[in-house]
Every structure is written in structure tokens, then in C-alpha cells.
Amino acid sequence: MTGDKKIFRVDAILELINKACDRSGRKASEVTLMAVSKTRTAEEVEAMLGCGIGVLGENRVQEGADKRGRVVAPAQWELIGPLQSNKVRQAVEHFDRVQTVDRVKLVQKLDRCVEELGHARYPVLMQVNIGADPAKHGCSEDEAPELLEAILAARHLRLDGLMTIGEYTEDERVLRRTFGGLRTLRDRLSDTHAVGLPVLSMGMSADMAIAIEEGSTLVRVGTALFGVRE
Ligand SMILES: *Cc1c(COP(=O)(O)O)cnc(C)c1O
């Protein structure tokens, strides 16, 4: 199936990303557009991949695994929803990267599963709850160094960077504080632990422009691409 860019608003979103990059003196090639395909059918996903999108985000392990089994076109599938310990093995089997590592126990479980499955070093992101919003998952900023050390010590994992979810608000200052906070934390951890943490996964449909201005390298976009979820 070839994708219909008009239906999916891919061009409009790429344009928005370009403009945000221009405003902040960044290159558009630094920012990956992930299509968040939760609740969408395998057919919709195929069509989206036909539009030239190469990275998909799912927030549930089972849904993502089932869908991937029905999608033929190649893509990078990433888990962006919370991961329970009993789903770790399935996540490693069916996803190319987990963005939501938020506790040491999960690191150990992931490391063991990757070893058992005999996979190469498995890429992960650390999810950080900047601003300690009780409604959101993620480790706190205070816990971040310990979690980072656990991931760096895990022989079968590779830490690519950090992920956060912005507040559900239109208040630009609040969003900038969160996204800027993730970037600052990344810079600090990268310094203190002498590691490159190139990926900053932040920004969704409503706040991707602000996130890019604050340094995002991967925006997770669902609604703005596919339309409103039912
Ligand atoms: C659903 C979801 C998104 C996409 O949200 P939209 O507002 O539809 O763009 C991004 N990130 C995470 C973690 C999500 O669960």
C-alpha cells in the first residue's frame, strides 16, 4: 500500500519540524519523527510507513507485538509506554528499543532477558519524570544517576539517551522548563559519567515545536499525524 501523505499530514508535520529547527539554529536531520501508532490498525501503519516514516511507537507490549506480526514493511518499533516486569521478555522479543526504563529492577530484568535471548546489546532510553508529576511514570531527577549507573553496568544493554513526557498544559513556560530540564540533566549526566547520551525523546503532537527548540532529537507524534484517537 502506498501512503497518502495528505491523509496523514506527514508533509505538514515535517514542515513544522523544519521551522522549529530553523528558529533554533538546528538541522532538521537531527530530529527523528516517530509515528505513534497505538490504537491504529496494521493497515493504517502500513500506509504510514508508505509515507516514508520509519520509526513507530507503541505504548502497550501486547498490542505492539500483535501489530508488528501483521505489518510487512520494515520499520523500527519502539516501546514508549510503561513496562511491567512480567512483559520484559516479550518487549525485548518484539521491540527494537525500550524508551521507558525507569527503575533499577527493570534494568536487571532487561539485562537478563537480552542475555537469555542471545541478542546483541539492546538499546534503551531512561524515562525521567522532570518536575516529579505524580501522574507520570519515570524516575525522578534525583534517582537518575543511580539508574544511569545501573544501565551502564548492564553488560547487555546500551543507553542511547533520555525520554520525558511534557505536562498536559498549553503553558509554554512549564513545557520549556520540563524539556529544558531534560536537556540540562542529559548534559550533566553526560559530563559526570563521561558518556554520550545523544537521544532526547521529547515532544508530542501538542508540544513538539517547543520540544525541538529545547533540543529534542526524537518527537513522538500520534494525533497530529493520524488524526484523533477513538
Ligand atoms: C500517545 C503517546 C504519544 C503521542 O501522543 P499524541 O498527543 O497523540 O501525539 C507520545 N508519547 C507517549 C509516551 C504516548 O503515550
Side-chain angles (χ1 to χ4, degrees), residues 34 36 38 40 58-59 80-82 99-100 127 163-165 201 203-206 208 219-225 227 229:
M34 162 189 279
V36 175
K38 62 189 185 197
R40 315 296 171 174
E58 288 281 341
N59 69 333
I80 60 170
Q99 294 206 359
T100 49
Q127 181 176 0
M163 178 271 213
T164 200
I165 300 176
S201 171
M204 324 199 318
S205 291
M208 67 181 127
V219 287
R220 309 178 306 266
V221 182
T223 313
L225 277 171
R229 277 185 296 277

Side-chain angles (χ1 to χ4, degrees), residues 21-212:
C21 284
D22 281 349
R23 279 198 299 279
S24 44
R26 304 185 58 206
K27 290 203 255 349
S29 59
E30 293 170 20
V31 181
T32 300
L33 172 58
M34 162 189 279
V36 175
S37 48
K38 62 189 185 197
T39 77
R40 315 296 171 174
T41 65
E43 291 70 30
E44 287 176 286
V45 172
E46 287 278 5
M48 181 60 75
L49 296 174
C51 294
I53 301 273
V55 184
L56 300 168
E58 288 281 341
N59 69 333
R60 290 170 193 273
V61 174
Q62 188 65 54
E63 181 186 343
D66 290 347
K67 208 178 291 176
R68 189 171 198 172
R70 282 181 274 115
V71 172
V72 186
Q76 160 95 2
W77 292 70
E78 304 198 16
L79 183 67
I80 60 170
L83 179 55
Q84 292 163 345
S85 295
N86 61 345
K87 297 270 176 69
V88 168
R89 193 187 177 86
Q90 203 187 4
V92 171
E93 283 176 314
H94 297 283
F95 289 88
D96 302 303
R97 183 162 67 184
V98 169
Q99 294 206 359
T100 49
V101 175
D102 62 355
R103 56 196 191 276
V104 173
K105 269 223 145 76
L106 187 56
V107 173
Q108 294 160 345
K109 187 91 202 263
L110 273 161
D111 194 44
R112 254 197 329 271
C113 282
V114 176
E115 179 172 24
E116 282 164 16
L117 290 165
H119 288 193
R121 263 185 192 266
Y122 187 82
V124 298
L125 302 184
M126 255 168 68
Q127 181 176 0
V128 186
N129 186 355
I130 302 285
D133 180 344
K136 290 188 305 197
H137 289 264
C139 75
S140 68
E141 286 190 66
D142 289 347
E143 293 163 339
E146 189 193 346
L147 183 60
L148 174 109
E149 284 157 24
I151 299 174
L152 294 179
R155 290 180 29 229
H156 307 280
L157 303 182
R158 183 187 87 205
L159 180 60
D160 286 348
L162 309 183
M163 178 271 213
T164 200
I165 300 176
E167 282 78 3
Y168 187 65
T169 177
E170 284 173 17
D171 188 336
E172 201 177 311
R173 282 168 316 170
V174 171
L175 292 166
R176 281 195 196 283
R177 203 188 310 135
T178 296
F179 297 144
L182 192 72
R183 189 195 56 228
T184 305
L185 177 65
R186 187 275 307 273
D187 293 348
R188 200 168 71 227
L189 291 173
S190 172
D191 245 29
T192 53
H193 291 73
V195 281
L197 299 167
V199 178
L200 282 180
S201 171
M202 54 190 198
M204 324 199 318
S205 291
D207 54 22
M208 67 181 127
I210 296 170
I212 290 168

